[in-house]
Amino acid sequence: MRWALIKVSLAVTAMVVIAFAVPLGLVVKELARDRALTNAERQAAAIGPALAITTDRGELERAIASTQAGAESRIALRIPATAQSPAVGIGTPHATDAALHTASAYGEAATVRVPGGYALLQPTAVSSGTVAVVEVFVPDDDINRGVPTAWLVLAAVGIGLIVGSVAIADRLGTRMVRPAARLAGAAQRLGEGDLAVRVPEAGPSELRSAAAAFNAMADQVVELLASERELAADLSHRLRTPLTVLRLNTASLGEGPAADQTRAAVAQLEREVDQIIRAAREQRGAHTATGAAGCDAAEVIRERMAFWSALAEDEGREVRSAGAERPVRVPVARAELAAALDAMLGNVFRHTPEGTAFAVDVHRGDDAVIVLVSDAGPGVADPAAALRRGHGAGGQGSTGLGLDIVRRVAESTGGDLAVGRSVLGGAEIRLWLALSPHTSTPHPTHRRTPLNRHR
């Protein structure tokens, strides 16, 4: 588009320059010719008074010599002979005898082309009663004086106009092409998966409209993908938690082929659901940061505790929660935080015997929020191995996804995950959620003492 605009501007400007410069150059040449011939007429007219008074050769020579053209030997005089006086010829005429005779006979001034220039023939009546012819020779240098300079100026002006028009067309083309190039680049980046790309609405109105439409389309794509991820998160809440309950209830089926088949089917179903959840979360992490919108952690904790409390009551578990009475905003999406809480609480029910008490505490600091899930069970013998299981397969009765979900949520905010010994005597899972991406994360051992003392 840019080169097309430059070519169009070059063609149009060149045609305009030619249309005006060529006629103007011809007019300049004609004006220079008229100026030279007019000056010659004045030189010839200066001889007229002397011819009206006398036909004496000496007097006429002095009159001719007093003019500029006569001093340059460019004036010739021819007086025809009469009965009383002989013919007089002064100077060297350039016109032919026929042209001189015609001018004298008809008494009309004429300009004839002669070698090297033009000859102005000016008839003038003399005292002897005849018509003398004054010839002023105008060389080509006088005819063309100033014409080459004028043509050079016209050519320079024309070239300047062409260069200026090309420069302006290039600037205009750049202003038009740059938004189009940005739009094309943004479309390519969006196709490659960069959902955060947007186009500034600049340039001509058509390109501004295209940029606005592209931005609206990108927002719609982000909303659709977010809806898809929320649906996957909702699936994790609706399927994974009931599957945990089913797996716990299969323990009461006793022994036998039917019981074993039921437990195997529930385990297989749980593995398949966890595989779907893993794929959905990996896709989510590839497109956007977790928790960009944020949520109220206290509200999410109260909601999930209400769900798990029913199962805890069936199993005779004592449940305690602290710090969730007041709003606590965290930079994590509601569905993601709920999935992390379900993973931590599911581990309590999965890895501790019935009747084991557990607690959920929330601690709000200036730069971070800490969620603690503690239990009074046997604890975790190897916390480092438990965290490593978050990256792969777990042990017996574990898919290895629970702590991986929690870890991803923590790292999405710049926080971390720690496993240690709780004040209840069992395991403590510590979820550190940074309130700012630039918040530095202290080592877990640096946080344990004051938090436990607070509890």
Side-chain angles (χ1 to χ4, degrees):
M1 182 184 297
R2 179 180 174 185
W3 284 109
L5 289 175
I6 292 176
K7 291 177 182 177
V8 170
S9 176
L10 178 62
V12 172
T13 307
M15 287 189 295
V16 171
V17 168
I18 292 173
F20 283 92
V22 172
L24 188 58
L26 296 178
V27 169
V28 168
K29 183 177 181 180
E30 189 65 23
L31 289 176
R33 179 177 179 277
D34 292 343
R35 182 180 63 249
L37 294 178
T38 301
N39 183 51
E41 290 178 356
R42 289 198 302 268
Q43 300 289 331
I47 309 300
L51 288 173
I53 297 173
T54 181
T55 57
D56 181 67
R57 184 183 185 88
E59 295 292 335
L60 292 176
E61 288 178 349
R62 284 193 293 272
I64 291 173
S66 65
T67 63
Q68 179 182 359
E72 296 174 356
S73 300
R74 291 192 289 109
I75 295 181
L77 177 62
R78 181 178 179 181
I79 303 176
T82 62
Q84 292 80 16
S85 61
V88 177
I90 302 175
T92 304
H94 292 77
T96 62
D97 293 339
L100 294 173
H101 178 74
T102 301
S104 177
Y106 292 97
E108 295 180 356
T111 302
V112 295
R113 179 68 178 171
V114 296
Y118 290 87
L120 174 66
L121 304 179
Q122 182 67 43
T124 304
V126 296
S127 59
S128 61
T130 61
V131 177
V133 178
V134 179
E135 177 194 296
V136 180
F137 174 69
V138 182
D140 289 334
D141 292 340
D142 288 354
I143 293 292
N144 297 324
R145 180 172 289 123
V147 174
T149 303
W151 284 3
L152 287 176
V153 172
L154 289 176
V157 172
I159 294 174
L161 290 175
I162 293 174
V163 172
S165 67
V166 169
I168 294 174
D170 181 68
R171 293 294 301 273
L172 294 177
T174 301
R175 291 183 57 187
M176 295 180 63
V177 171
R178 186 178 294 119
R182 283 198 301 261
L183 184 60
Q188 182 177 3
R189 290 171 58 190
L190 182 64
E192 294 172 353
D194 186 2
L195 300 182
V197 63
R198 295 296 183 273
V199 180
E201 299 178 10
S205 59
E206 293 80 3
L207 292 178
R208 288 199 302 269
S209 300
F214 174 85
N215 293 335
M217 179 193 68
D219 292 338
Q220 186 67 20
V221 170
V222 172
E223 291 178 4
L224 291 176
L225 291 177
S227 299
E228 180 184 355
R229 290 188 293 269
E230 292 297 330
L231 181 61
D234 184 66
L235 177 64
S236 69
H237 298 159
R238 297 189 182 196
L239 295 181
R240 196 172 186 276
T241 300
L243 282 175
T244 302
V245 177
L246 287 176
R247 191 179 59 79
L248 294 174
N249 289 338
T250 56
S252 62
L253 295 178
E255 301 297 333
D260 293 339
Q261 290 177 3
T262 302
R263 281 190 286 269
V266 172
Q268 177 65 26
L269 182 58
E270 188 174 19
R271 285 193 296 272
E272 294 296 335
V273 171
D274 286 335
Q275 181 64 30
I276 295 174
I277 296 171
R278 179 190 288 114
R281 293 187 179 280
E282 288 177 354
Q283 182 181 9
R284 184 190 193 286
H287 291 295
T288 184
T290 304
C295 68
D296 183 2
E299 180 182 356
V300 176
I301 291 173
R302 291 195 301 269
E303 176 187 333
R304 302 318 301 162
M305 286 297 292
F307 174 84
W308 288 96
S309 295
L311 183 58
E313 184 178 356
D314 293 340
E315 296 187 357
R317 297 176 183 269
E318 181 184 353
V319 180
R320 183 181 63 81
S321 178
E325 299 82 10
R326 294 179 298 175
V328 180
R329 296 293 301 182
V330 292
V332 179
R334 180 186 184 88
E336 300 297 328
L337 183 58
L341 287 171
D342 286 341
M344 291 189 290
L345 294 174
N347 283 339
V348 173
F349 284 85
R350 183 180 296 113
H351 299 293
T352 61
E354 295 186 7
T356 302
F358 66 93
V360 178
D361 298 327
V362 183
H363 299 274
R364 168 65 189 267
D366 294 335
D367 56 1
V369 172
I370 300 176
V371 180
L372 298 174
V373 177
S374 309
D375 63 66
V380 180
D382 190 351
L387 289 176
R388 283 198 300 272
R389 285 203 302 267
H391 296 271
Q396 181 66 28
S398 172
T399 62
L401 276 177
L403 292 182
D404 184 59
I405 295 173
V406 181
R407 178 182 58 82
R408 286 177 181 273
V409 172
E411 291 179 352
S412 68
T413 67
D416 69 353
L417 175 67
V419 177
R421 177 69 63 176
S422 73
V423 295
L424 298 179
E428 176 186 82
I429 302 176
R430 186 183 306 240
L431 174 61
W432 171 279
L433 300 175
L435 298 181
S436 170
H438 304 287
T439 300
S440 60
T441 304
H443 192 273
T445 57
H446 297 168
R447 302 197 301 265
R448 289 185 55 82
T449 302
L451 288 177
N452 289 335
R453 183 167 60 247
H454 174 72
R455 292 181 51 180

